Amino acid sequence: MSAASTWTIAAVRDALKSKEISARELTRDFFARIENRNRQLNAYLALSLERAYAQADRVDAMIAKGEALPPLAGVPIAIKDVISTRGVTTTCGSKILETYVPPYEATAVERLERAGAVILGKTNCDEFAMGSSNENSAYGPVRNPVSLDHVPGGSSGGSAAAVAAGLAVAALGTDTGGSIRQPGACCGVPGMMPTYGRVSRYGLIAFASSLDRIGPLTQNVTDAATVMSVIAGHDPSDSTSAAVPVPNYAADLEKPVQGLRIGVPEDYFGEGLDSEVREKVLAGIALLEKMGCRRMPLKMPHTDYAIATYYIVATAEASSNLARYDGVRYGLRIPGATVGEMYRNTRERGFGPEVKRRIMLGTYMLSAGYYDAYYLRAQKVRSLIARDFADAFQKVDAIITPTAPTPAFRLGEKTADPLQMYLADIYTVTGSLAGVPGISVPCGKTKCGLPIGMQVFAPHFGESRVLEIARAFEKASTATP
């Protein structure tokens, strides 16, 4: 078990049960890996050593007593720094929350620890989860472990990089418009976005409340299913949490995919798609066909409006959610001669340029005279995009698309052009607006060795179908020379 990439959830469980290693030793090994590699990657912003070792000791005590182990016993897991952790700094990648320590725990984190997970620390991210490259963090960019001069994707780039580099067995990220799936594709690991409402948002510091979701980034699809089984389910603390039964995702993984109808929307394969990405995704679809899936062409006519719609809805909600950071109640405070001056000083110093840009855009969208022309119209188009998905799922069981239009780009390549950066989410924001579940699964590499991701969508609460197809593809592609 010397290679970091061999540590999957199943491998950890087997090693602990056979007493090949203790949970404390495994935790110490992961902290040593982080110390050795994190200066290079900048994936972690804070470590929770005391908390991690205390949990590891609890797991070791269970093993010594011969007790049955919970599903994530001893598994080292990282948490994106927009998810609240009691007693551990949670900055959202922003100077305005540089010293903020939450007094409460996010439900998803609480459920992980109840299942035995060892929380290693908090991972770097774009400020308030606003970005597609992890270059917007106030604490510096994360580097892609596959190629250090490339971005890891965003905004969950720290979580994706930590998993890809073997600095965590799994990690929680958040997905508003693609921020789990796109970094998963860039770093070559599976990244899962559940149905909106499937995983509690309690403790998730809000960017866009009608879009934000928590989900896992893992070493393989089986691990994604295991983590999803732990964190999913109704939570009375979250009014948007759905009271829908949670199946055993891992038990459903090995179902045959033969006969499933997979929709391939031509709207996702047009101009702007990198040729190598197109080639690998189409090869992935062909492999699914060989496994007995039936390919069906689709038209999703409102896809072209998705980016504009998303950035109107998301920035409007961000403008509202970020109004609370004013220097009065918590976080950074820069004094001024008046209360108004204190507000301005605090927000000017505390927020980075991308967050300011989105607040200004969102405030404009919601202002008198523009609300109907922009925000209300965007919500109507959002309904049309959701209808595209609903209509498609009347004909097919799942939809297959590229995850991103290009592989990971170079650090600094798109920072001067926000529109080009926003277009990195062109294939992911559609599912976000529709509220459906999706996963990015690795489907090959470019000639330069950069990972490429293939995206699978299913109907609302169809996580089992998404995982089933992703797992079947993962097994088949691993077996294919």
Side-chain angles (χ1 to χ4, degrees), residues 45-46 80-85 87-104 122-130 136-139 203-207 318 321-334 345-352 355 359:
L45 292 179
K80 184 178 179 179
D81 205 31
V82 297
I83 301 172
S84 297
T85 41
V88 182
T89 306
T90 301
T91 70
C92 293
S94 179
K95 289 293 184 185
I96 210 161
L97 289 176
E98 189 170 16
T99 60
Y100 175 61
V101 179
Y104 64 97
K122 308 301 288 293
T123 53
N124 201 350
C125 57
D126 284 306
E127 187 178 6
F128 285 99
M130 298 181 190
N136 293 331
S137 171
Y139 306 100
L204 168 58
I205 296 173
F207 159 19
N321 280 323
L322 270 62
R324 71 193 69 176
Y325 304 107
D326 53 14
V328 175
R329 287 155 289 191
Y330 45 79
L332 181 70
R333 176 185 291 185
I334 305 298
N345 291 346
T346 299
R347 290 166 73 83
E348 168 62 30
R349 187 85 61 86
F351 289 140
V355 171
I359 289 172

Side-chain angles (χ1 to χ4, degrees), residues 83-168:
I83 301 172
S84 297
T85 41
R86 186 192 301 114
V88 182
T89 306
T90 301
T91 70
C92 293
S94 179
K95 289 293 184 185
I96 210 161
L97 289 176
E98 189 170 16
T99 60
Y100 175 61
V101 179
Y104 64 97
E105 200 90 88
T107 297
V109 176
E110 190 177 284
R111 288 177 177 177
L112 287 176
E113 285 200 310
R114 202 183 305 146
V118 173
I119 305 301
L120 297 174
K122 308 301 288 293
T123 53
N124 201 350
C125 57
D126 284 306
E127 187 178 6
F128 285 99
M130 298 181 190
S132 305
S133 65
N134 221 144
E135 294 172 284
N136 293 331
S137 171
Y139 306 100
V142 176
R143 293 180 179 271
N144 192 323
V146 178
S147 177
L148 295 176
D149 59 348
H150 286 75
V151 303
S155 61
S156 305
S159 290
V163 172
L167 307 186

